[in-house]
Amino acid sequence: MAQGAEAFWQGVWYGRSRWVYLLLPLTGLFRLLAAARRVWLEKRHQQQLSVPVIVVGNISVGGTGKTPLIISLAEHLQQRGYRPGIVSRGYGGRAPNYPLAVTPDTPVHHSGDEPLAIARATGCPVVVGPDRVAAGQRLCDQGCDLILSDDGLQHYRLARALEIAVVDGRRGFGNGHCLPAGPLREPVRRLQEVDWIVVNGAPDDALSERLSGLSPLSDSSNPTGPYRMSIQPRSWCPVSGGAPEPLSRFREGQSVHAVAGIGHPERFFTTLEQLQLTPIPHAFPDHHEYTPGQLDFDPPAPVVMTAKDAVKCQAFARPDWWYLSVSADLPDRFWQTLDTRLDLLKRDFSAEHQT
């Protein structure tokens, strides 16, 4: 039922349904309340941690590709000598207490799928909890010198030094309206305030034109972007655990049962087609909780999935179940501007805490 409701609203927001405009009065109320909430949190309740916070988020409902970007950012920071930590809401998890430190062995029903996948991929300290300030403070106490906030653009109680907004290059902003008439959490003009705009995939002409009003896609001298990000497959990994294998482990044209419980399952299916596989798609709701026997498909064929799905299937995985390890590929210009801003932040925070 949840899957049907999700598919229904996605079809409405990203289609051409006209009846949805009857909800515009509610959208106006939503925007008013969201704006008031932001002012209230920023003026009265926002808290600054002792280390810089980089928020990675979006303005739309559903997945845009934040998780691969978070992983690539963490790896880049580690290579530069930082000790990054990651905070997340832990959506889908129900921990016995919060904030919860997530390790590779944490039960997925405690942590949620994305934080566990991030912890396993990066080896960074990961803490989840509805109170991101408390989660961030836990990471500071563990010795982290920089914090990445996963999907935290609208969590204004946590002060941030930098913001990165991720936009889905294929779906864009849907009909351009905020909830409930459209898929947006905040108006598109919110992107004028962020430090970087990252577009996951090549935008179509309409989206490129929309973004050009914020900052031109073709202007390489513009440090804000937008920067085009592509998701690059790395290897196939056994869901049950073990050493990764090369992308060539499946023959060209091989049929596979493709499982995706993510915000935009079609993106995963397209990636498999680009790998010259023949996916039999099985789309599930975002953060779906799989059960044994649910992935028994006919006809028999290997089952492939995302890393986010794999952490929920490991306990009952079969030998022919695999997940695709991926990385986020961004232009050198993005990393150069990030490093420049980080150097300035490091100096500023160091000076602030010496006084």
Side-chain angles (χ1 to χ4, degrees):
M1 185 172 179
Q3 182 176 1
E6 180 178 325
F8 171 78
W9 283 109
Q10 294 292 334
V12 168
W13 291 332
Y14 293 97
R16 297 185 177 181
S17 300
R18 294 185 177 275
W19 66 264
V20 75
Y21 296 116
L22 296 173
L23 300 177
L24 285 177
L26 294 178
T27 288
L29 178 61
F30 173 84
R31 291 181 57 173
L32 179 64
L33 293 175
R37 171 183 173 274
R38 178 180 178 179
V39 171
W40 179 66
L41 289 174
E42 288 184 332
K43 300 295 185 183
R44 296 302 235 9
H45 297 280
Q46 192 170 77
Q47 296 185 42
Q48 176 78 60
L49 298 178
S50 59
V51 303
V53 174
I54 302 177
V55 166
V56 181
N58 57 16
I59 61 169
S60 58
V61 174
T64 56
K66 297 183 301 297
T67 299
L69 178 57
I70 284 277
I71 292 172
S72 291
L73 285 167
E75 292 174 345
H76 179 80
L77 293 169
Q78 289 171 319
Q79 292 168 2
R80 290 209 64 211
Y82 287 93
R83 299 185 302 279
I86 299 165
V87 297
S88 175
R89 171 64 181 85
Y91 185 84
R94 294 174 294 277
N97 51 70
Y98 291 108
L100 173 72
V102 181
T103 71
D105 299 322
T106 298
V108 67
H109 60 275
H110 286 172
S111 65
D113 48 21
E114 289 175 351
L116 183 55
I118 290 171
R120 290 181 176 179
T122 65
C124 289
V126 177
V127 175
V128 301
D131 185 342
R132 288 175 186 257
V133 174
Q137 186 58 55
R138 175 81 171 266
L139 290 170
C140 293
D141 295 341
Q142 292 179 224
C144 294
D145 56 10
L146 192 148
I147 291 173
L148 297 172
S149 179
D150 179 26
D151 193 22
L153 203 59
Q154 289 79 34
H155 293 267
Y156 290 108
R157 198 165 74 85
L158 177 61
R160 67 285 310 268
L162 299 171
E163 293 180 328
I164 303 173
V166 185
V167 177
D168 188 319
R170 176 176 295 183
R171 296 192 298 176
F173 306 116
N175 59 19
H177 294 293
C178 287
L179 294 165
L184 302 185
R185 301 168 177 174
E186 294 182 283
V188 174
R189 66 171 181 269
R190 171 68 171 90
L191 297 180
Q192 294 176 312
E193 304 174 30
V194 304
D195 297 276
W196 293 277
I197 301 170
V198 172
V199 181
N200 183 11
D204 60 20
D205 292 341
L207 180 58
S208 295
E209 184 177 353
R210 189 77 182 269
L211 291 171
S212 68
L214 305 171
S215 46
L217 277 163
S218 59
D219 185 2
S220 61
S221 66
N222 177 18
T224 302
Y227 293 97
R228 294 178 185 172
M229 177 179 74
S230 61
I231 304 302
Q232 299 297 325
R234 286 179 172 175
S235 59
W236 289 107
C237 302
V239 176
S240 57
E245 295 196 17
L247 298 174
S248 59
R249 85 157 317 277
F250 293 117
R251 69 178 185 275
E252 185 175 328
Q254 182 168 349
S255 293
V256 294
H257 289 287
V259 172
I262 58 178
H264 189 196
E266 291 77 13
R267 186 188 297 121
F268 179 61
F269 304 147
T270 299
T271 299
L272 296 178
E273 292 172 350
Q274 293 170 346
L275 291 174
Q276 306 301 313
L277 299 178
T278 303
I280 304 170
H282 303 277
F284 291 86
D286 197 11
H287 305 288
H288 181 69
E289 295 184 14
Y290 299 97
T291 57
Q294 196 171 29
L295 304 185
D296 291 339
F297 302 121
D298 286 320
V303 173
V304 300
M305 61 187 69
T306 70
K308 175 177 163 180
D309 295 304
V311 298
K312 294 174 288 189
C313 299
Q314 183 177 17
F316 50 87
R318 297 183 179 177
D320 60 346
W321 291 11
W322 303 83
Y323 73 87
L324 186 62
S325 174
V326 301
S327 62
D329 184 41
L330 290 116
D332 291 340
R333 176 70 173 163
F334 170 81
W335 299 112
Q336 292 166 359
T337 58
L338 174 66
D339 289 342
T340 299
R341 295 293 298 275
L342 288 174
D343 289 340
L344 293 173
L345 273 178
K346 188 175 182 179
R347 183 191 64 189
D348 292 345
F349 267 76
S350 177
E352 178 180 340
H353 290 281
Q354 286 177 359
T355 58

